[in-house]
Amino acid sequence: MQIKDVYDYLRALLRKDERSERALEITEDAIDLNPANYTVWHYRRQILKELKMDLYDELKYCGEIIQEHPKNYQVWHHRRVLIEWTQDPKEELKLTENVLSVDAKNYHAWQHRQWVVRTFSIWENELSFIDQLLQEDVRNNSAWNQRYFVIYHTTGFNDAVLEKEVKYAQDMIRKAPNNESSWNYLRGALLEKDLSTHPGLMEFCEELYGKSVRSPYLLGFMREIYEDRLEQGCENVEDVLYKSLVLVEALAMEFDTIRVEYWNYIGRRMRERYAPKNDESEEAGAASAAMEVPAK
Amino acid sequence: MAAPTEDEFLREKHIKFFNRCIDVLPHQYSTMDTNRLTILFFAISGMEILNSLDTIKNKKEEIVDWIYSHQVLPNESASNLSNCGFRGSATIGAKFNPTQTSCEAAIAYDSGHIAQTYTGLLCLIILGDELTRVNRRALSAGLRALQLEDGSFKATLEGSENDMRFVYCASSICYVLDDWTGFDVDRAAHYIYRSQSYDGGIGQGPGLESHGGSTFCAIASLVLMDRLHMTFSRVELDRIREWCLLRQQTGFQGRPNKPTDTCYSFWVGATLKLLDAYDLINQHANRTFVLSTQDTVTGGFAKWPDHHPDALHAYFGICGLSLLGEEGLGKMNPALNISDAAAQHLDKIHQTWRAS
Ligand SMILES: [Zn+2]
């Protein structure tokens, strides 16, 4: 059939709301031509329901379209509705795993997987699946996000879990210190904690720093620990402020130069907030003002 | 003629690029594409920012009529109010009648799509239309039917995925209609709040990975609702800013450890504008990247250098350069994603509505 014929035929059937086998077939032709047409999918679902079609056949068909068009919103939505109807999620982990084996960051696949895992409480093997993905590519940010999602919805970040997750992130950082995703996970897991008092964090940073690691994420993390000390009202304010401004300058001038304006801004903000405001510290203020890095 | 240098912005070629996009659009019934209003939006908003809408002056009326033909109107008993909106195409054979304000009988399966309502309304505003044929009451009713328990929106009454994109479409529609009765602001703001990820960015929904596009949709929605500072604390906003600034490599990426892509110079750039932090980016590197994706032969922009241009990236490439203050480009209203000039026209329409 010509494209125009398919559409003319479909329009005629839609107007009558005919729910028949031939209508089901024509939706398939229309989906072939344009899988993004949400009306066609909706019509197809009405027919499936009315004719009490075998939903497992439909799941198979839907899976094929997903493999062909893995970034199509409508077909993933169709999948979800079918699973709501069957209440049978057993193919879904495999399906999303297949899609993720081609594109490990496919947002639709992760979204579907999260919905399935959560709706049907299939948490058992999720962490080992994620671990396998991170062994393949430690920079897979979607996998790190899934890790957070799983912990958050199962055990939560209680003290024991937190310790384990911090260690996990730290091990991954040691392998690839320039990886934003693992640093973000470490920082995110510790969100509720004070960075300056949580045990072991500065030691971990100093270990890397001592091995000449100068990842911007390392320097930024150390700066945050220092800022937290200042925020908590530490005693040696000028010393801590000085150390953090040295880090900020290193970021601006050498290790994260694309963000020179940002790091200068952070430096200014820290001086405003924490530089002692009495007379004798004017010199210190002048000294740190002199450290201001000019924009390139 | 000398070949264009790498950092030359080829304004004339982009105008031609968008003109070609428009020319292939309004063939009624020829396809069942469901996003033609979106393509139209990229083309005419792009031309508006290029200060070149004049080149389609004699087609304006026809285009406005064509846009109105996508409006799903209430029938006499208003039994289909919840279906009202703009549809994506003439798929189901609604008759072409751009001047009517109600229809005789609702057609089965005929309903609007939230993204098409959003782009349809914006197109009308950009083209200088006064929105007199927009059935505001029906659009509000249609929108109200799309909000879910968790505060997010689905796209169509029949059901679709629900996410941050549609929260943004809904916020924009309410802002344009100057009517928030179709929208539970508290719930929507809470949905946005719950979608902030552990890394500071915002995902399409709670638990989902932070993304430049959804972060824009979230922040722009809060700005349109006037809820930004009620929703996020100072520290939380700082984390969103830092997440956005960390997306800059040369141009911007949409997620950590993903390649840079032209469209994020707008999505992330506009978010930073709305958060008063745009002056902290490296403007030079950003401009150089966007221009490296410019097609010097056909005009338009691609997502990556040496790839084929498409309407979406052509539009957001122009937008990214407008945010940078590129010469020859109009300024943008980053929350509404239209030119300042178009946003001012909308203000005037609102004044007229409020006075009557
Ligand atoms: Zn893109």
Side-chain angles (χ1 to χ4, degrees):
Chain A
M1 248 196 289
Q2 300 285 310
I3 292 178
K4 188 174 172 303
D5 297 339
V6 172
Y7 292 144
D8 284 347
Y9 195 13
L10 178 72
R11 259 188 291 273
L13 295 170
L14 265 168
R15 278 184 169 266
K16 288 191 290 178
D17 196 8
E18 177 178 312
R19 301 183 186 182
S20 62
E21 300 244 357
R22 66 171 185 171
L24 196 65
E25 271 168 41
I26 212 76
T27 60
E28 211 169 310
D29 293 335
I31 285 162
D32 260 356
L33 291 168
N34 175 15
N37 190 311
Y38 50 89
T39 308
V40 175
W41 282 108
H42 174 63
Y43 180 40
R44 184 173 174 86
R45 282 191 288 275
Q46 304 313 304
I47 303 168
L48 288 169
K49 246 195 296 191
E50 181 100 6
L51 302 186
K52 300 194 170 61
M53 300 300 289
D54 183 344
L55 294 179
Y56 288 89
D57 287 345
E58 185 66 7
L59 279 170
K60 191 160 167 285
Y61 167 69
C62 181
E64 285 161 12
I65 306 277
I66 284 178
Q67 303 285 352
E68 257 175 81
H69 304 277
K71 290 190 173 181
N72 173 299
Y73 285 99
Q74 287 71 30
V75 65
W76 281 105
H77 176 66
H78 188 63
R79 186 85 193 177
R80 176 161 159 175
V81 175
L82 293 175
I83 301 303
E84 280 168 350
W85 286 355
T86 61
Q87 287 293 307
D88 178 1
K90 84 175 164 297
E91 288 298 314
E92 300 318 284
L93 297 187
K94 186 94 191 63
L95 174 87
T96 48
E97 203 175 319
N98 285 343
V99 173
L100 293 173
S101 70
V102 180
D103 172 7
K105 299 171 182 180
N106 180 313
Y107 210 93
H108 304 272
W110 282 112
Q111 193 164 4
H112 185 69
R113 193 173 174 100
Q114 284 197 352
W115 175 76
V116 168
V117 164
R118 200 173 164 201
T119 305
F120 299 95
S121 290
I122 327 175
W123 302 99
E124 312 85 77
N125 299 317
E126 203 55 9
L127 278 184
S128 65
F129 171 65
I130 295 159
D131 192 44
Q132 176 201 323
L133 288 180
L134 288 177
Q135 296 299 338
E136 285 162 24
D137 175 13
V138 72
R139 289 181 169 77
N140 182 344
N141 197 60
S142 309
W144 283 102
N145 184 73
Q146 186 77 346
R147 188 169 186 96
Y148 193 93
F149 173 81
V150 172
I151 304 274
Y152 182 87
H153 286 288
T154 51
T155 55
F157 286 89
N158 63 47
D159 285 350
V161 174
L162 180 62
E163 196 180 330
K164 196 171 113 275
E165 290 308 297
V166 165
K167 190 178 172 306
Y168 185 85
Q170 289 177 340
D171 286 344
M172 293 301 212
I173 289 170
R174 284 190 187 93
K175 281 189 209 167
N178 214 3
N179 175 16
E180 184 185 346
S181 299
S182 46
W183 282 103
N184 282 351
Y185 186 81
L186 176 65
R187 183 71 194 86
L190 291 161
L191 212 51
E192 305 287 307
K193 302 284 174 187
D194 291 330
L195 290 186
S196 60
T197 52
H198 194 84
L201 293 179
M202 193 46 109
E203 289 78 357
F204 169 68
C205 291
E206 279 167 351
E207 169 204 322
L208 293 174
Y209 198 88
K211 289 179 188 156
S212 303
V213 171
R214 292 296 180 272
S215 151
Y217 313 111
L218 168 65
L219 304 188
F221 196 86
M222 291 168 79
R223 183 205 72 79
E224 261 198 274
I225 298 178
Y226 285 137
E227 176 152 17
D228 192 51
R229 282 188 197 169
L230 293 164
E231 197 62 42
Q232 307 290 330
C234 61
E235 278 175 10
N236 43 348
V237 171
E238 288 191 37
D239 180 44
V240 175
L241 180 61
Y242 177 77
K243 279 183 181 157
S244 55
L245 290 175
V246 168
L247 287 171
V248 168
E249 186 185 350
L251 283 160
M253 291 296 279
E254 197 173 354
F255 300 108
D256 198 27
T257 53
I258 189 98
R259 269 166 283 282
V260 56
E261 300 288 356
Y262 178 59
W263 294 120
N264 281 340
Y265 158 77
I266 292 291
R268 280 197 302 278
R269 197 178 75 183
M270 291 189 76
R271 276 190 296 273
E272 271 163 27
R273 280 186 193 165
Y274 309 109
K277 295 221 165 35
N278 51 33
D279 286 345
E280 67 240 82
S281 71
E282 238 170 56
E283 270 174 61
S288 50
M291 277 174 39
E292 175 91 13
V293 183
K296 269 187 201 158
Chain B
M1 211 172 76
T5 55
E6 263 167 36
D7 61 352
E8 197 181 332
F9 174 58
L10 303 170
R11 182 172 173 272
E12 296 303 321
K13 293 208 170 171
H14 300 307
I15 295 171
K16 284 192 183 136
F17 180 90
F18 287 130
N19 259 303
R20 284 195 300 274
C21 293
I22 289 177
D23 283 342
V24 299
L25 269 180
H27 297 298
Q28 276 178 60
Y29 300 129
S30 60
T31 75
M32 297 193 37
D33 286 349
T34 34
N35 59 353
R36 287 192 296 169
L37 284 177
T38 309
I39 306 283
L40 179 73
F41 168 73
F42 293 145
I44 65 168
S45 192
M47 290 173 87
E48 158 91 341
I49 294 163
L50 285 157
N51 296 310
S52 65
L53 263 190
D54 272 1
T55 59
I56 55 161
K57 212 169 26 194
N58 52 2
K59 286 184 224 159
K60 259 191 198 175
E61 209 179 319
E62 186 194 340
I63 297 174
V64 166
D65 281 352
W66 184 74
I67 297 167
Y68 273 120
S69 76
H70 290 74
Q71 189 174 199
V72 177
L73 294 161
N75 55 13
E76 264 158 30
S77 64
S79 66
N80 66 334
L81 264 187
S82 299
N83 297 74
C84 291
F86 283 65
R87 53 176 95 80
S89 78
T91 302
I92 61 154
K95 266 200 241 108
F96 185 83
N97 182 350
T99 55
Q100 65 187 7
T101 52
S102 72
C103 65
E104 282 156 27
I107 304 165
Y109 297 101
D110 191 17
S111 63
H113 185 287
I114 201 168
Q116 306 306 317
T117 308
Y118 157 69
T119 46
L121 288 171
L122 291 191
C123 286
L124 290 171
I125 295 162
I126 295 163
L127 291 167
D129 184 76
E130 303 293 329
L131 307 185
T132 44
R133 282 180 269 165
V134 169
N135 190 325
R136 289 157 61 200
R137 194 177 67 96
L139 291 191
S140 265
L143 194 63
R144 199 174 308 131
L146 299 179
Q147 190 165 21
L148 305 178
E149 194 71 14
D150 68 0
S152 70
F153 282 77
K154 57 183 180 178
T156 66
L157 190 64
E158 294 83 36
S160 75
E161 70 280 8
N162 58 294
D163 59 33
M164 202 60 80
R165 290 173 304 151
F166 301 145
V167 173
Y168 173 63
C169 290
S171 309
S172 300
I173 292 166
C174 290
Y175 186 90
V176 168
L177 297 176
D178 198 23
D179 177 359
W180 292 83
T181 55
F183 190 109
D184 186 333
V185 172
D186 290 332
R187 265 181 215 230
H190 188 59
Y191 179 82
I192 294 171
Y193 182 75
R194 292 201 306 129
S195 301
Q196 185 177 28
S197 156
Y198 64 88
D199 67 5
I202 300 170
Q204 287 290 353
L208 292 167
E209 187 182 2
S210 303
H211 188 285
S214 43
T215 302
F216 168 80
C217 288
I219 298 301
S221 296
L222 290 174
V223 168
L224 292 171
M225 296 178 213
D226 198 16
R227 281 294 183 98
L228 183 61
H229 296 280
M230 268 173 78
T231 304
F232 287 116
S233 70
R234 192 192 58 146
V235 173
E236 285 158 349
L237 287 173
D238 279 344
R239 298 195 75 230
I240 301 173
R241 280 189 196 98
E242 180 163 292
W243 186 87
C244 286
L245 288 162
L246 282 168
R247 301 287 59 76
Q248 183 164 27
Q249 310 299 303
T250 51
F252 286 82
Q253 61 190 180
R255 301 183 242 167
N257 288 322
K258 291 272 281 181
T260 48
D261 170 341
T262 299
C263 65
Y264 296 107
S265 286
F266 175 78
W267 297 122
V268 181
T271 308
L272 286 165
K273 278 256 177 181
L274 294 171
L275 296 172
D276 294 321
Y278 193 73
D279 53 347
L280 299 180
I281 73 164
N282 185 321
Q283 306 215 357
H284 178 72
N286 184 28
R287 180 176 186 272
T288 305
F289 175 78
V290 173
L291 286 177
S292 76
T293 66
Q294 173 178 249
D295 192 310
T296 54
V297 178
T298 61
F301 291 81
K303 67 195 292 192
W304 296 323
D306 302 317
H307 277 65
H308 283 298
D310 59 75
L312 182 146
H313 288 92
Y315 176 63
F316 287 117
I318 300 282
C319 292
L321 291 171
S322 160
L323 294 177
L324 284 165
E326 183 77 28
E327 212 177 309
L329 291 180
K331 281 213 171 359
M332 288 200 72
N333 179 313
L336 274 179
N337 183 16
I338 53 177
S339 73
D340 257 349
Q344 280 162 20
H345 174 57
L346 177 62
D347 276 347
K348 284 212 196 85
I349 297 175
H350 285 171
Q351 281 165 23
T352 323
W353 285 347
R354 286 172 190 179
S356 65

